[in-house]
Every structure is written in structure tokens, then in C-alpha cells.
Amino acid sequence: MNPLTTRAPRPRGITLIEFLVVMMVIAILAAVATPSFQGFTDKRRLEGAANEYASHVHWARSHALQTGSAVRIKVESGGGGACYVIHQAAAGTCSCLDADGDDACDGDDVPLLIKHFPADARVLISNHGTAERRVDPMRGIFTPTGTVEFSTPDGHSVRAVTNLMGRTRLCAASEHRIGGLPRC
């Protein structure tokens, strides 16, 4: 064997430069994908919150008809977030955003259901119309009818429109499509 004709073995593996280039490409792709993923999760969270509200409205109507007692749904929002409470107490006696942070009804009344959306949940609630709706225990009708809007900080929104008979339909109030919801 002639030492001039033998080749040195090729190094195997990657160099530090190649490794850094690959890591930089991965970081750029992650930075580009993160905002769109946040929008995707916000839309799903928004749609889930609106669907859950519609389910709770249906449950409240069923509960009123089953127990023969009026049921009220009160939607509130404030600096610490938003919430809704379902109760059988008199009008205006239950709150899910008390000043001292307690969920309470006046007297011995206890809320049937409370759903909180903290400020960092990225789901905002606004009530169009009266803050408290009543379900008649004999006919199951809602008075007054109204709309509750669920929205995200980046402008996506879903409206839950409840008619007199308690049927709640959901629609996308923003220009962006949200799930399979029709536009309002």
C-alpha cells in the first residue's frame, strides 16, 4: 500500500455550523406557526364556551319545567373576567361577580350552576339586553329573549341568540369563520 494513495477516513456526523443552521430554521418555523396556533386554540375555546352556554340554557329550561320553579340566568362581566349564574332565587339576588369575590345569592338561596371565565381565559362575554333572563316554570318560555356574545381579544366572536321558547342558536358574529357556525 502506497501512503500517497490512501485516503483519510471521512468524518461522520454533522458539524456545529450545520447543527446551528437546522436549529435556526426550526426556531423560525416555530415563530411563524405560534400566532396561527394561538388563533386556532382561541377559536376552539370560543366555540366550546358558546356551546356550553347553549347547553346550560337548555338545562335551565328543563330544570324549570321539571321542578315547577322559575329559573333565572344572569350574565355578568367585569375587570376580573366574566361569568354566568343559573339560580332559582328572586330577580337580582344572585351574582357571580360579587365585590368581595364570592359567588353568592342573598339569604339561604344557593346557585344551581356558576360558570366563570377569568380575565386570562381569552374568552370575553357581553350581554345584549337584560342581564337576567327568567324561565317560566309552566310554559318553559324565556323572558326577555336576548343575545349573549362570546368573543376573543383578537376579534373573533360567537353570538348565542335565545328565543322565546328557549332555543339557543349559535352564529359567528365576526368576519372569520368559526367551526361550522353560520354567520349572523
Side-chain angles (χ1 to χ4, degrees):
M1 240 193 193
N2 186 354
L4 296 176
T5 60
T6 61
R7 293 186 194 165
R10 287 191 72 185
R12 295 181 186 227
I14 60 171
T15 66
L16 181 61
I17 301 287
E18 292 170 333
F19 176 73
L20 291 176
V21 167
V22 168
M23 293 307 289
M24 202 167 1
V25 167
I26 289 173
I28 290 170
L29 289 175
V32 168
T34 300
S36 65
F37 184 71
Q38 180 68 45
F40 174 78
T41 56
D42 282 351
K43 285 181 192 177
R44 296 294 77 76
R45 190 176 293 126
L46 182 65
E47 188 178 11
N51 278 318
E52 186 176 29
Y53 174 78
S55 176
H56 287 155
V57 167
H58 181 74
W59 175 82
R61 182 176 186 270
S62 297
H63 189 75
L65 291 171
Q66 185 180 30
T67 61
S69 304
V71 173
R72 291 177 174 24
I73 302 172
K74 184 175 185 178
V75 178
E76 298 178 292
S77 58
C83 61
Y84 57 88
V85 58
I86 299 175
H87 63 92
Q88 289 181 303
T93 59
C94 287
S95 175
C96 53
L97 285 181
D98 275 356
D100 57 359
D102 294 335
D103 302 321
C105 293
D106 294 343
D108 293 332
D109 294 319
V110 178
L112 299 172
L113 182 137
I114 296 176
K115 178 65 180 176
H116 284 279
F117 297 95
D120 61 353
R122 296 186 57 85
V123 174
L124 311 168
I125 303 175
S126 59
N127 193 22
H128 299 269
T130 306
E132 194 167 53
R133 292 171 177 82
R134 179 181 182 270
V135 183
D136 181 83
M138 300 305 287
R139 294 181 222 101
I141 60 173
F142 275 71
T143 53
T145 61
T147 301
V148 175
E149 188 165 344
F150 296 84
S151 59
T152 62
D154 56 349
H156 302 294
S157 61
V158 172
R159 288 187 186 144
V161 182
T162 305
N163 69 11
L164 187 65
M165 293 307 298
R167 180 180 173 270
T168 301
R169 76 178 164 85
L170 302 177
C171 58
S174 58
E175 67 274 358
H176 308 288
R177 291 218 28 112
I178 298 175
L181 298 177
R183 288 192 173 212
C184 295

